[in-house]
Amino acid sequence: MADPGPGTAAPAASLLEVFRRLDTGPRGLTEAQAEGRLVRFGENAIPDARDPSWPRLFARSVRDPFTAVLLCLGLVSAAVFAWGTASVILLLVVVSCVLRASGEHRAARSTAGLRRLVATTVTVQRRVYEDTAPVTREIPVEELVPGDVVRLGPGDLIPADVRLLRSTGLTVHQAALTGESAPVEKSAVEDPGDGVFQDPLLCFQGGSVASGSATAVVTATGGDTRFAAAHRRTGKPPATTFERSVQGVSWILIRFALLTPPLVLMANAALRGRGLETLPFAVAVAVGLTPEMLPVLVTTCLARGAALLARTHGVIVRRLPALHDIGAMDVLCVDKTGTLTQDRPVVHRALDAEGRDDPEVLRWAVAAAWWSLQLADLPAPDALDEALLAAADEDALMSYDGVTARPFDPARRLATVVVRTPGRLGTHTQITKGAVEAVLQRCALSDDERSRLRDLADTHAADGLRVLAVAITARPAGARPQERGLTFRGLVTLRDALAPTAAEALAGLAARGVTVKVLTGDHPGTAVRACRDLGVPVAGVLTADRLDTLTDPELTELARRTTVFARCTPEHKTRITRALQAGGHTVGFLGDGVNDLPALRTADVGIAPRDAAGVSRENADLVLAEKDLTAIGHAVAAGRHAGGNIATYLRITLSSNLGNVIAMLSAGLLLPFLPMLPAQVLVQNLCFDAAQLAFAHDRPAPSALRRPSVLDPRALLRFIVGFGALNAVADLATFGVLAFALRGPGDDEALFHSGWFTENLLTQAVVMVLLSFGRGGRQPGPVTWSAAGLAGVGLLLPASPVGAGLGLSPLPGVYYGLLAAVLALYAVALTAARTRHERVSASAVAQP
């Protein structure tokens, strides 16, 4: 037998070609053939991915660049017997790795949820021997093999990829693959549709039968089905914005940290004749350059934002770094149904044959919907009839008395009712409504008139509306309904009901610099219509057939200026997401079906509502209480809040630390003694780091919430070099103050250490206030009070018993007056530099 291979038969393949390729026939396989194929192709089950164990995830976390540099510094500190520093750093490394490994391990256990969308048993037609008649029986779905003939009925899940042999009134839900909310008509008639999922001959695993019945031949099972291919893991997902930012910052720190100790050692050996005795000082300087509290502050910022979102807006952040990613997001990809629109239509207009508004057409359509529901004993109206009934008043429902009804049939695409005509005894009125083409074929019209009405309907359909045709005719009482020779009465157009909060939420996202792109399996016209009704400018429309002809670079360029992507399969959604990322965008993806799972995994931040498919919800980074764009707006604000605080912490910490390192290197070469003892360097760094934890509780300026909070390593490097050099100038100016104020005493070394210790903490307090405060006249907050505490430590510690234990001593009064002058000049220079930096940054953002 030829290997069926992955996927399904080509849409153009004839039934005979399918039977030959699968080595089967309309009577199905024999039991012996089925057993052989089960051994060959394996069970009809989705392959389980082998997820990494928790220890492996922990080891992977240790390889993170920033974690690795902290670990190296901790080990070096232990090697030079700086046990306090080593303990703190190693504890931070362990906590960071445990948190990251635990989160990834929880997310990896979700793939088993795919089985909930796969059938458990299936009705199959098999033979005991070649010459015996086929017998229909139930078998476990795992035993299904390519070539089996199966039978499907209402409510059945599609057990594998199949090709229809016979069907009656068959409609199939295939939202798991296409995202289309409405069932799709299928039939055994060869009539290729627009794309493989629209081919009426083919049904796919993951779908379900909405109505009708069918007999079909299995073309692919297990891992070869399109359902499995769409959700198969394709390797490690791309790094998110947060991961790329942290890696960029980490490599900056690695370069500085690795360069600093050798520079200190070589400079002291060459100019001062000092040897390995300066190694503890060199390690202390390297540790002082590294923001040890970054893992703690990042976790605190993100955890506080996540807790606030959960408490006030019902948004659950399943992966903490995703909160930073959504703050950096500048493109949000959404589906149409359930996000921009509700999953139901509403009546738009009722038109006569000339295209003019005619309420009477709606009354006839409502009568047909009402009496179909009553007389045909339907359990509930379909979506279109429900929209008609919702638009009707009580008089329209009671105007006619129903006689008989033929409910909607997918094969005829019509519904017909007969009602008594008021004031006309012995005469009934037959009302027929349904698909435009089906109704027009049954009307007494000339070819030209029929063509004109078809064009009128097509014009409204192209505008994103659903169109029903309505026709009537008079029949003698007691005559059987006949759907021919009808009088065309008019058209009823329907549009998708808009989500109540969508327009406001979209405007809010646009104000925050987030562009919304619609990725839908629906017709492009309906998506464009929804965007237009919501006030969203549509820059371009791209359909799946056009997308398939584009190369990756072409799609990257076109995706940037396209708003609506229609007729999308899961593969298309994933490819579009990657194209947007390749164009430099941080992409969020909102999805709720299993068909959205690949794109959810690919996006920088995957978002799902609480009622989404279980496997999609478990793989999402953020889970919403409702499928509401307003909640995403709140999450964007929280992410930018947290990201702004993290960025502020990094800018202030690294610029201050770099300035101190430059000053220490300079002082070490100018002075006959070390400018500060290793213990003093570490205590100073610990005080500064503790004070900067206040940034986790700060509120950034409102302007920070109006644009994505992307941490650009290059921009950060320019900032820390510029402001670090300014900080170093202030430190070096302190040398002159110390030289003038401390002349004469024999303990100049201890006084120098004390003076510089105090100056460093005071300048860092000034930096904290001026680089995070003073925007819009806000009241003093956590950062201001923390900076005041840091300044207090700098002023009081040298004169305290603790200071004496560190080798510090009280300073003379004249020093404080001179230091105040230095700090005042430094504050003026810092303010001027900050103003220029903000002006340059604003100009860069304003450029297209």
Side-chain angles (χ1 to χ4, degrees):
M1 185 188 88
D3 189 351
T8 62
S14 68
L15 183 58
L16 181 59
E17 290 172 335
V18 172
F19 281 151
R20 285 176 176 172
R21 187 175 66 85
L22 297 172
D23 192 17
T24 187
R27 298 193 302 162
L29 302 174
T30 65
E31 295 292 348
Q33 287 175 321
E35 290 178 5
R37 297 188 186 190
L38 185 62
V39 172
R40 180 178 178 183
F41 296 104
E43 290 188 345
N44 179 34
I46 297 174
D48 287 329
R50 185 174 296 276
D51 297 315
S53 62
W54 193 93
R56 179 174 294 183
L57 290 173
F58 182 89
R60 185 185 298 169
S61 300
V62 176
R63 295 200 303 267
D64 177 81
F66 182 72
T67 304
V69 72
L70 281 180
L71 181 61
C72 291
L73 289 173
L75 295 176
V76 172
S77 299
V80 296
F81 306 108
W83 300 114
T85 303
S87 299
V88 171
I89 293 176
L90 293 177
L91 178 63
L92 292 174
V93 168
V94 171
V95 170
S96 176
C97 292
V98 167
L99 291 176
R100 179 172 177 178
S102 299
E104 291 184 2
H105 188 255
R106 285 193 302 270
R109 294 179 300 183
S110 61
T111 53
L114 286 171
R115 294 185 180 274
R116 289 197 287 269
L117 286 177
V118 180
T120 56
T121 62
V122 60
T123 302
V124 68
Q125 181 177 293
R126 285 183 179 171
R127 296 167 292 155
V128 178
Y129 303 106
E130 284 283 354
D131 55 352
T132 58
V135 177
T136 300
R137 64 187 182 91
E138 293 280 329
I139 65 170
V141 71
E142 291 83 2
E143 297 179 7
L144 201 64
V145 296
D148 266 326
V149 174
V150 297
R151 295 186 177 180
L152 304 172
D156 286 348
L157 295 175
I158 308 297
D161 288 357
V162 301
R163 200 268 196 196
L164 297 180
L165 304 179
R166 295 181 296 278
S167 66
T168 303
L170 183 66
T171 62
V172 174
H173 286 292
Q174 53 184 27
L177 286 162
T178 67
E180 293 180 279
S181 56
V184 179
E185 296 179 19
K186 299 287 184 177
S187 70
V189 179
E190 295 188 15
D191 181 22
D194 184 15
V196 66
F197 294 112
Q198 280 68 45
D199 193 318
L201 288 168
L202 305 178
C203 300
F204 303 93
Q205 184 183 54
S208 63
V209 178
S211 64
S213 60
T215 301
V217 60
V218 175
T219 58
T221 60
D224 292 333
T225 64
R226 287 186 174 269
F227 182 80
H231 308 108
R232 186 180 296 123
R233 293 195 176 191
T234 57
K236 183 180 178 181
T240 65
T241 298
F242 181 77
E243 292 168 338
R244 293 193 297 269
S245 298
V246 169
Q247 288 177 0
V249 173
S250 299
W251 283 112
I252 292 175
L253 298 178
I254 288 171
R255 293 185 182 96
F256 278 117
L258 294 179
L259 186 61
T260 299
L263 280 177
V264 174
L265 290 173
M266 288 188 296
N268 279 275
L271 301 178
R272 292 294 176 181
R274 302 175 186 135
L276 291 178
E277 66 271 15
T278 60
L279 180 60
F281 175 72
V283 172
V285 171
V287 171
L289 178 64
T290 306
E292 300 96 330
M293 293 296 179
L294 179 59
V296 177
L297 184 127
V298 167
T299 302
T300 304
C301 284
L302 298 179
R304 288 187 74 250
L308 182 64
L309 278 176
R311 186 171 61 252
T312 59
H313 303 295
V315 178
I316 306 301
V317 181
R318 298 188 66 255
R319 184 179 62 86
L320 279 183
L323 188 60
H324 174 276
D325 293 336
I326 200 169
M329 179 182 71
D330 61 340
V331 172
L332 174 63
C333 298
V334 301
D335 196 359
K336 175 184 69 67
T337 304
T339 306
L340 305 182
T341 64
Q342 303 178 55
D343 195 9
R344 62 181 181 88
V346 294
V347 172
H348 179 242
R349 295 174 67 188
L351 309 170
D352 63 13
E354 302 302 323
R356 297 184 296 262
D357 289 328
D358 186 351
E360 191 65 24
V361 175
L362 180 60
R363 291 175 65 88
W364 289 118
V366 168
W370 173 253
W371 288 113
S372 290
L373 179 65
Q374 302 300 319
L375 298 177
D377 197 25
L378 299 176
D382 65 20
L384 297 182
D385 281 353
E386 190 170 14
L388 292 171
L389 296 175
D393 54 29
E394 187 174 343
D395 291 341
L397 295 178
M398 305 306 296
S399 296
Y400 307 98
D401 187 13
V403 177
T404 187
R406 293 180 66 183
F408 181 82
D409 182 354
R412 296 184 305 120
R413 298 193 296 168
L414 295 171
T416 294
V417 302
V418 177
V419 298
R420 291 184 177 89
T421 306
R424 297 180 61 184
L425 295 177
T427 302
H428 293 166
T429 300
Q430 176 182 309
I431 311 169
T432 299
K433 70 173 179 61
V436 173
E437 187 62 34
V439 172
L440 290 178
Q441 288 176 355
R442 290 162 172 82
C443 290
L445 297 168
S446 66
D447 290 343
D448 290 343
E449 184 66 8
R450 185 175 289 109
S451 177
R452 185 186 68 81
L453 292 172
R454 189 183 297 115
D455 291 342
L456 177 63
D458 290 344
T459 299
H460 291 286
D463 198 28
L465 299 170
R466 304 185 197 184
V467 184
L468 290 176
V470 180
I472 63 173
T473 189
R475 299 290 185 195
R480 297 183 60 183
Q482 294 185 359
E483 295 170 340
R484 63 175 182 270
L486 308 179
T487 300
F488 182 80
R489 194 63 186 80
L491 303 172
V492 177
T493 61
L494 303 99
R495 61 172 175 80
D496 289 332
L498 302 178
T501 61
E504 180 182 356
L506 288 170
L509 288 171
R512 288 178 173 147
V514 178
T515 301
V516 173
K517 296 187 181 292
V518 181
L519 279 59
T520 179
D522 288 345
H523 188 278
T526 61
V528 171
R529 177 82 196 194
C531 291
R532 188 167 65 245
D533 290 344
L534 290 168
V536 177
V538 178
V541 180
L542 185 64
T543 56
D545 54 351
R546 170 80 172 96
L547 189 151
D548 288 335
T549 66
L550 299 174
T551 64
D552 288 344
E554 289 172 340
L555 179 58
T556 297
E557 175 60 26
L558 193 57
R560 181 181 58 82
R561 57 179 188 270
T562 300
T563 302
V564 173
F565 300 84
R567 298 298 192 191
C568 290
T569 66
E571 293 88 348
H572 292 135
K573 294 180 180 181
T574 304
R575 192 178 172 211
I576 293 165
T577 302
R578 287 178 177 154
L580 291 167
Q581 290 172 325
H585 296 287
T586 300
V587 182
F589 187 94
L590 172 62
D592 57 358
V594 179
N595 61 303
D596 296 321
L597 183 56
L600 283 171
R601 287 174 174 162
T602 302
D604 293 285
V605 53
I607 311 167
R610 184 171 54 190
D611 59 355
V615 66
S616 298
R617 186 175 60 250
E618 291 300 316
N619 277 270
D621 301 312
L622 271 70
V623 178
L624 311 179
E626 304 291 342
K627 196 173 183 181
D628 186 356
L629 291 177
T630 304
I632 298 180
H634 293 307
V636 169
R640 293 183 181 177
H641 186 162
N645 286 344
I646 293 171
T648 300
Y649 165 80
L650 281 172
R651 286 195 297 265
I652 292 176
T653 299
L654 294 178
S655 61
S656 296
N657 289 355
L658 180 61
N660 289 338
V661 167
I662 295 173
M664 285 185 182
L665 291 174
S666 301
L669 301 179
L670 296 173
L671 299 174
F673 49 81
L674 292 177
M676 198 175 291
L677 298 178
Q680 296 166 355
V681 174
L682 295 176
V683 169
Q684 171 189 276
N685 192 52
L686 179 62
C687 292
F688 189 34
D689 284 338
Q692 294 211 43
L693 289 177
F695 283 115
H697 304 272
D698 194 26
R699 292 193 64 82
S703 60
L705 305 181
R706 292 196 289 266
R707 58 180 182 270
S709 57
V710 179
L711 185 61
D712 184 358
R714 292 184 178 180
L716 177 65
L717 181 59
R718 289 193 298 268
F719 184 96
I720 63 177
V721 169
F723 283 85
L726 185 60
N727 183 277
V729 170
D731 286 344
L732 294 174
T734 308
F735 291 170
V737 172
L738 290 169
F740 178 80
L742 305 181
R743 286 180 297 178
D747 55 350
D748 283 353
E749 183 175 344
L751 288 175
F752 185 93
H753 292 164
S754 301
W756 202 7
F757 183 91
T758 297
E759 184 270 346
N760 275 337
L761 292 187
L762 291 178
T763 54
Q764 289 172 340
V766 169
V767 168
M768 287 180 62
V769 172
L770 292 183
L771 293 188
S772 65
F773 181 66
R775 306 174 195 175
R778 295 180 298 145
Q779 295 297 319
V783 172
T784 305
W785 296 117
S786 182
L790 182 65
V793 170
L795 292 171
L796 299 177
L797 187 62
S800 69
V802 176
L806 293 172
L808 302 175
S809 60
L811 292 161
V814 66
Y815 170 74
Y816 294 105
L818 295 173
L819 179 59
V822 172
L823 292 177
L825 293 174
Y826 177 58
V828 171
L830 191 63
T831 302
R834 186 199 68 191
T835 302
R836 181 180 182 279
H837 172 77
E838 291 177 346
R839 185 168 58 249
V840 171
S841 298
S843 299
V845 171
Q847 292 178 356

